[in-house]
Amino acid sequence: MNGVPEDLIVYEIAVVVPKRNLNEENKGYDCVEVLVNEFRNVGLIVERVLGLSDEFIKLAAPLETLGRVAAKMQMKKTTHIGIDLQFEWEDIKAFVRQPDGSLFSWCERFQCYRHLIYEIVNKKNSVVTLKFDGKEIQWEAGESLLQRLELEGIVKQVFPLHDEIKRKKLLRSWALNWWDFTAQPIDEIYAYFGTKIAVYFAFLGMYTRWMIFPATFGLILQLIDFGSLKLLVFPAFFISVVLWAVLFFQFWKRKNSALSARWHLNFSVSTSEGYKLSGREWNSLQPPLELVKNSGIDKTKEKEALQRYEWFGYLKRFRNDVIIILSIICLQLPFELAYAHLYEVLKSDMVKFGLTVVYLLVIQYFTKIGGKISIRLIKHENNENTEYQADSLVYKVFGLYFMQSYIGVFYHALLHRNFMTLRQVLIQRLILYEVLENLVENSLPYLKYSYKKYRAVRNKKKREKGLIGKIQFATRVEKEYLKPTYSASISEELEDGLFDDFLELALQFGMIMMFACAFPLAFAFSALNNIAEMRTDALKLLAMLRRPVPRAAATIGAWLNIFQFLILMSICTNSALLVWLYDQEGKWKLEPGLAAILVMEHVLLLIKFGFSRFVPEEPAWVRAKRMKNATQAQDMCSKQLLRTISGREKAFGGYIRRKKPVGTNKTQ
């Protein structure tokens, strides 16, 4: 086993409660004491740590405890023959282990922990009265104890803990390893952070490696003056960049498929097209439980109810999308155009700077309002799980950021046709924005952590007057509690911090692709920024933030469609830029050069949609493994079904007889 041995005690969950003085006579009735005893009763290992103002209950689970609760949850896991079966602790050897040798992934372990601690309920038929600092708490029959204490404000937070052994190993081999520019221990990242974060870093690493080609090509165009040949060189650069982007995303799909197969996420034999995890089948239009329970009563009514539910779901999504699009067009577009026009006509640099400051403040307010409206609209859609809700949020919020980031550039490029201003805007957006964004992104968590430490020390001194000397945090769990969470700037309930990281990548990709002919050097700047981004993001996750809650998304989700949309936009915008370079007088006559650009645009659009046929999205070894697993599953199911049918026929015929040994009498 490559990771930490499973028999080693690793505390992975912390529960935070207020620190208080407890008398011995009230110990048996204290709600925190009852909670700790219940944790031990369900098989968890408990360690209690006192901090400056809070008490931390650290939880660890032996492998047997996790295995039995996984079986209770009816968790589905991949077996050695490729079939996903319900986990059974007694048949542990039949199930495939993770790449690091562990039986359960971090996402599966986290779900087991949540089930263990939140399924502690009052099994008595009467109300149990608990106490906390003189306050009585009524624990109702059948009610979850942890949820009741959260509602009462006694349990402040429940959060995952960093594993110090694995964290330090990842710091050495990943975050602080600057010599391998794009190499990353993806399997170790998956084992420690879960699927979604590992997929993000796999995408970022592959994207950065592939960017070396357009970065080199763009650097050559920037350093060498081709003179009149630029009318041939720039179209060649444009064609090569579009082909590069199309090929990259096709090969990324292959990479994603290979990772899913290696991590046993692509379940080959299933009864649903949705992604399954821990016994649940995720589907974007999964009918509610009431419709499923009532199925079989009346086939006609059942069909009508399911069709009504499906189409109402589509109509709700369409309505919400229309609301967001009209809001962007009617409210944000005029504001963006007004800012771009004023920036173009103003002469004073100081006035431009003041205008930009006002613009950034107002646009942040617009974005927050748009995010809140999007979240309210999403709550009225038929999205059955968090990942589909997050994808819907990504589509809606990206529309706001798309208008905010690109409309001013479009204005300078296509209306005023001011090439120098366009390059200045691109340099400002790409270089200055990304540098400042990285500084804020990595310094803000540290500032928040330092401020929380200062407040904790100040409150300690206020409570205990006369305290002399420097107060230090002696426990690591309290330091982790004070660290910020890995959450999205737009919505903490639907998205984690990967929203901001993917948004930064998407905006960068759109900027360098849609205006590739105007500023080819942008690819080189972006490649350098992404190399630094990999290490700073890793350092942020390992040292500056709490351990993120694992998410089960096996792909980059909605962001793939956004990247594909940006490729289509880049074909149109770069064709317009080439027309501008060719027709500098603005005559717009259909001459051979302009006609060639129009033909090239249509050919590239055909190539964009045709390459998906030539490059398979699934590697041959993944496809062969899937077919082998399907064949084995079909053979086993067929044999079992035949034995079952044969037994039933005998039972129906009423002549089930036991075979007698040879040589015995046929009659008794």
Side-chain angles (χ1 to χ4, degrees):
M1 185 171 169
N2 299 327
V4 178
E6 289 180 316
D7 56 353
L8 183 66
I9 297 176
V10 178
Y11 294 98
E12 298 184 297
I13 301 294
V15 180
V16 187
V17 296
K19 185 179 177 181
R20 78 265 185 241
N21 295 322
L22 184 63
N23 298 326
E24 286 294 330
E25 59 269 15
N26 297 327
K27 203 168 185 178
Y29 301 97
D30 184 75
C31 59
V32 176
E33 297 296 325
V34 173
L35 180 66
V36 171
N37 292 332
E38 292 293 339
F39 284 158
R40 292 193 175 105
N41 291 337
V42 297
L44 293 171
I45 301 173
V46 180
E47 180 182 340
R48 303 176 70 172
V49 178
L50 294 178
L52 294 182
S53 58
D54 297 298
E55 181 182 355
F56 302 92
I57 304 171
K58 296 164 59 177
L59 303 176
L63 180 60
E64 183 176 356
T65 301
L66 294 175
R68 295 196 180 280
V69 75
K72 184 180 178 182
M73 294 169 61
Q74 299 181 353
M75 182 181 292
K76 295 290 183 69
K77 286 187 66 65
T78 306
T79 59
H80 287 288
I81 61 172
I83 309 176
D84 301 321
L85 297 179
Q86 182 176 321
F87 182 79
E88 295 291 342
W89 172 247
E90 290 75 14
D91 302 318
I92 185 175
K93 293 183 180 180
F95 296 94
V96 176
R97 289 183 172 264
Q98 300 297 315
D100 66 341
S102 59
L103 181 62
F104 296 104
S105 66
W106 167 229
C107 186
E108 292 169 339
R109 294 200 308 276
F110 185 78
Q111 290 193 1
C112 290
Y113 275 111
R114 286 189 62 87
H115 183 86
L116 282 168
I117 63 179
Y118 280 97
E119 290 300 317
I120 297 174
V121 297
N122 182 7
K123 297 180 180 179
K124 298 180 180 180
N125 296 326
S126 59
V127 177
V128 176
T129 302
L130 303 175
K131 294 183 179 181
F132 183 82
D133 282 348
K135 177 183 177 183
E136 291 190 351
I137 299 168
Q138 304 298 320
W139 185 18
E140 301 289 340
E143 184 183 21
S144 171
L145 176 59
L146 193 61
Q147 287 184 349
R148 166 51 56 188
L149 297 183
E150 285 179 336
L151 292 174
E152 296 290 340
I154 298 172
V155 172
K156 294 183 176 181
Q157 283 191 22
V158 179
F159 64 94
L161 289 172
H162 278 290
D163 181 348
E164 280 304 297
I165 297 177
K166 293 183 178 179
R167 189 184 74 89
K168 290 179 179 178
K169 182 180 177 182
L170 281 173
L171 275 172
R172 291 191 302 267
S173 63
W174 179 32
L176 302 178
N177 185 17
W178 287 86
W179 294 107
D180 296 331
F181 294 114
T182 59
Q184 300 179 99
I186 296 298
D187 288 338
E188 286 80 0
I189 297 171
Y190 161 72
Y192 190 72
F193 288 113
T195 310
K196 192 172 183 179
I197 291 179
V199 168
Y200 162 74
F201 280 103
F203 176 82
L204 178 59
M206 184 175 175
Y207 174 56
T208 306
R209 285 192 299 271
W210 275 62
M211 196 175 283
I212 294 175
F213 165 71
T216 305
F217 200 166
L219 191 61
I220 293 173
L221 288 180
Q222 192 73 25
L223 296 177
I224 300 176
D225 185 12
F226 289 92
S228 60
L229 292 177
K230 67 179 182 180
L231 296 178
L232 296 176
V233 175
F234 277 101
F237 176 69
F238 165 46
I239 294 172
S240 64
V241 164
V242 172
L243 294 179
W244 164 83
V246 173
L247 280 174
F248 164 71
F249 282 102
Q250 285 303 118
F251 278 93
W252 162 249
K253 294 176 185 177
R254 291 171 60 86
K255 173 77 171 179
N256 200 173
S257 177
L259 289 175
S260 298
R262 195 162 76 210
W263 298 335
H264 313 296
L265 301 178
N266 57 333
F267 301 106
S268 55
V269 183
S270 61
T271 58
S272 171
E273 294 181 359
Y275 174 63
K276 291 167 54 181
L277 182 67
S278 301
R280 301 180 183 179
E281 296 179 356
W282 301 117
N283 199 302
S284 58
L285 288 175
Q286 186 178 358
L289 189 60
E290 292 76 11
L291 294 180
V292 177
K293 287 182 177 179
N294 296 330
S295 62
I297 300 175
D298 189 333
K299 294 296 181 182
T300 304
K301 291 183 178 180
E302 174 193 350
K303 182 179 179 181
E304 291 178 354
L306 291 174
Q307 288 180 341
R308 191 182 307 113
Y309 178 82
E310 178 186 10
W311 285 105
F312 276 167
Y314 285 126
L315 289 175
K316 287 179 181 178
R317 292 183 187 179
F318 179 75
R319 177 203 63 189
N320 295 343
D321 292 341
V322 168
I323 292 174
I324 294 296
I325 292 172
L326 289 178
S327 301
I328 292 173
I329 294 175
C330 299
L331 298 177
Q332 191 176 8
L333 180 60
F335 176 77
E336 297 287 348
L337 290 176
Y339 166 73
H341 177 71
L342 289 174
Y343 191 89
E344 183 72 27
V345 299
L346 290 175
K347 303 299 183 182
S348 173
D349 292 336
M350 290 297 297
V351 177
K352 286 184 178 181
F353 178 78
L355 178 66
T356 303
V357 171
V358 174
Y359 163 77
L360 291 176
L361 293 175
V362 175
I363 204 62
Q364 290 295 326
Y365 184 71
F366 274 176
T367 305
K368 288 183 179 180
I369 293 178
K372 292 180 180 179
I373 294 174
S374 300
I375 292 171
R376 290 189 178 182
L377 292 175
I378 289 169
K379 290 181 178 179
H380 297 285
E381 295 179 353
N382 295 339
N383 295 305
E384 297 300 326
N385 63 81
T386 306
E387 295 305 327
Y388 280 98
Q389 289 180 340
D391 285 346
S392 182
L393 178 67
V394 166
Y395 287 128
K396 292 175 175 60
V397 176
F398 181 76
L400 302 174
Y401 279 97
F402 180 86
M403 190 69 65
Q404 169 187 336
S405 301
Y406 300 128
I407 192 64
V409 188
F410 289 150
Y411 182 85
H412 294 299
L414 304 179
L415 184 61
H416 286 277
R417 304 176 72 174
N418 190 333
F419 203 86
M420 292 303 298
T421 305
L422 175 59
R423 284 192 173 180
Q424 291 176 1
V425 172
L426 290 173
I427 292 173
Q428 174 187 346
R429 297 286 179 99
L430 275 173
I431 302 176
L432 297 179
Y433 172 78
E434 289 187 351
V435 170
L436 292 175
E437 183 71 20
N438 284 331
L439 288 175
V440 172
E441 180 183 345
N442 292 284
S443 61
L444 196 59
Y446 178 76
L447 294 175
K448 289 182 178 179
Y449 172 63
S450 300
Y451 178 68
K452 286 184 177 180
K453 285 179 64 177
Y454 167 75
R455 284 187 57 186
V457 171
R458 186 185 62 181
N459 294 335
K460 176 76 173 178
K461 290 182 177 180
K462 282 184 178 180
R463 287 194 307 269
E464 302 178 13
K465 295 182 179 180
L467 199 62
I468 302 174
K470 185 178 181 181
I471 300 177
Q472 294 183 347
F473 294 88
T475 60
R476 181 164 293 278
V477 62
E478 187 169 19
K479 293 180 180 179
E480 290 193 33
Y481 172 61
L482 296 176
K483 291 179 180 179
T485 57
Y486 187 52
S487 57
S489 58
I490 198 69
S491 167
E492 294 187 6
E493 55 182 319
L494 292 181
E495 264 290 359
D496 54 17
L498 285 180
F499 174 84
D500 297 314
D501 292 330
F502 267 119
L503 177 65
E504 184 180 349
L505 276 184
L507 294 177
Q508 177 202 90
F509 180 80
M511 196 72 70
I512 64 178
M513 284 295 298
M514 287 193 291
F515 306 98
C517 292
F519 191 39
L521 193 60
F523 286 91
F525 286 122
S526 298
L528 294 175
N529 174 79
N530 291 346
I531 291 173
E533 184 81 16
M534 275 189 290
R535 307 304 168 186
T536 55
D537 283 352
L539 191 63
K540 176 180 66 177
L541 286 171
L542 290 169
M544 301 181 187
L545 301 174
R546 291 183 193 171
R547 189 177 185 180
V549 174
R551 303 284 289 271
T555 66
I556 63 175
W559 294 107
L560 180 61
N561 294 329
I562 289 174
F563 281 113
Q564 301 282 11
F565 164 75
L566 292 174
I567 293 176
L568 294 178
M569 289 292 297
S570 69
I571 295 175
C572 301
T573 54
N574 281 284
S575 297
L577 288 174
L578 288 176
V579 170
W580 171 24
L581 289 174
Y582 184 83
D583 185 31
Q584 295 184 359
E585 297 180 1
K587 296 180 179 179
W588 297 95
K589 293 182 179 179
L590 193 61
E591 297 179 356
L594 294 178
I597 294 173
L598 293 176
V599 171
M600 179 182 64
E601 177 188 17
H602 287 74
V603 169
L604 288 175
L605 289 172
L606 290 175
I607 291 175
K608 164 68 182 70
F609 293 105
F611 260 55
S612 58
R613 300 292 182 182
F614 294 104
V615 181
E617 297 182 3
E618 193 176 47
W621 69 270
V622 175
R623 187 164 56 252
K625 181 180 179 181
R626 178 170 50 82
M627 293 176 65
K628 178 183 177 182
N629 293 339
T631 303
Q632 289 179 343
Q634 185 177 5
D635 291 343
M636 292 189 62
C637 292
S638 300
K639 291 177 182 179
Q640 183 65 32
L641 186 60
L642 285 174
R643 285 195 294 266
T644 305
I645 294 174
S646 177
R648 287 178 179 175
E649 288 176 350
K650 289 182 181 180
F652 293 151
Y655 58 89
I656 297 180
R657 296 177 182 176
R658 295 180 180 177
K659 290 185 178 181
K660 296 183 179 181
V662 178
T664 57
N665 295 329
K666 294 183 179 181
T667 58
Q668 299 292 336

